[in-house]
Amino acid sequence: MTHHSLGPAPSGAGHFSSPALAEPPRPGSGLPLHLDRRHLLGLEGLDRAEVLALLEAAEGYRGRLARARAGEPGGGLPFDDLAGVTVLLGFFEDSTRTRVSFELAARYLGATVTTLTTAGSAVSKGETLYDTVQNVRAMGVDVVVVRHVASGAPYFLARHLDVSVVNAGDGRHEHPTQGLLDLMTLRDAWQGRFEGRRLALIGDIAHSRVARSAIFGLRALGASVTIAGPRTLLPAGVEALGCTVAATVEEAMEGADAVMALRIQRERMDSGLLPTLGEFSRVWGLDPERVRLLARDAVVLHPGPINRGIEVAPEVADSERSVILDQVGNGVALRCAVLARCAAARRAARAGGAAA
Ligand code: CP
């Protein structure tokens, strides 16, 4: 696959450090990028109130979407929340769930939506990410949703271009909308209470942007996280994020209020990190026996795509405890909330600029 040349990523991106917090304030907004609501670049640095506001907004959209689909009075689809807003879905790395749900969300809110992928765009001819987005910006794009193999790519765009940027997954750095939809799903399972709850995160932590966003989000809401996985797939310094490292999957899962299996990311993995997938499955996979170690009413999550029989046994993925498809369903409402928040902040910033 052809990848963009990108330019410098934020220092530390892709490691378990704090690149978002190291970003200088952007001229004009006076805010560090991670606090500028025109963008959603990561969950790192967001406080409890900010995270809860996004979850509340997503819940509001979930209700509105359900009522609209049921044909109840009060507004059919599309809504007009994003009327006049143009959204680019720049998916320069493969995706099913994130891409489709962002597209549905943007269309449900009445935005004009266009999609770019590596294949079929001038990226395959060597155009840089900066030039690609600058060109679509010149056509009037307001919000860029970007998935990219390079950690830090969304920061790069937000820093250099006058567009709202939503991170749809950057390398091994963050996947903030996945983190938020995971929180939304856990909030349902945990009856709205995060304090005192514990999630076990199992598997390939080192390559997982999902793990980072989940840890940042859960910590902001007062829940704890235990991680477990092969030593070769645990990043150095992960404890600094405030999670506990367990020696075995059983230790991590014993009494946990939820477990999330992470996908083995073969595309990001150097050879030799895992002996065999069969051994991974035997030592770290979620099977019915291990699931019985969880707390009563605990749920099973997976961000997808699932490698069935490797990270999670099919009978667990399809069991009553599994909320994997709830995660996917919640993604649409959650992404409605994120797009609406970024577009509203962009409108406000522009109105302020015009008034000044
Ligand atoms: N969870 C997730 O990001 O899935 P996709 O890669 O299919 O978007």
Side-chain angles (χ1 to χ4, degrees), residues 261-278:
L262 297 168
R263 183 173 69 85
I264 287 289
Q265 305 209 9
R266 284 176 269 189
E267 74 277 19
R268 289 186 227 286
M269 207 175 278
D270 297 328
S271 60
L273 289 179
L274 273 183
T276 65
L277 291 178

Side-chain angles (χ1 to χ4, degrees), residues 3-15:
H3 293 307
H4 290 105
S5 87
L6 185 65
S11 65
H15 304 286

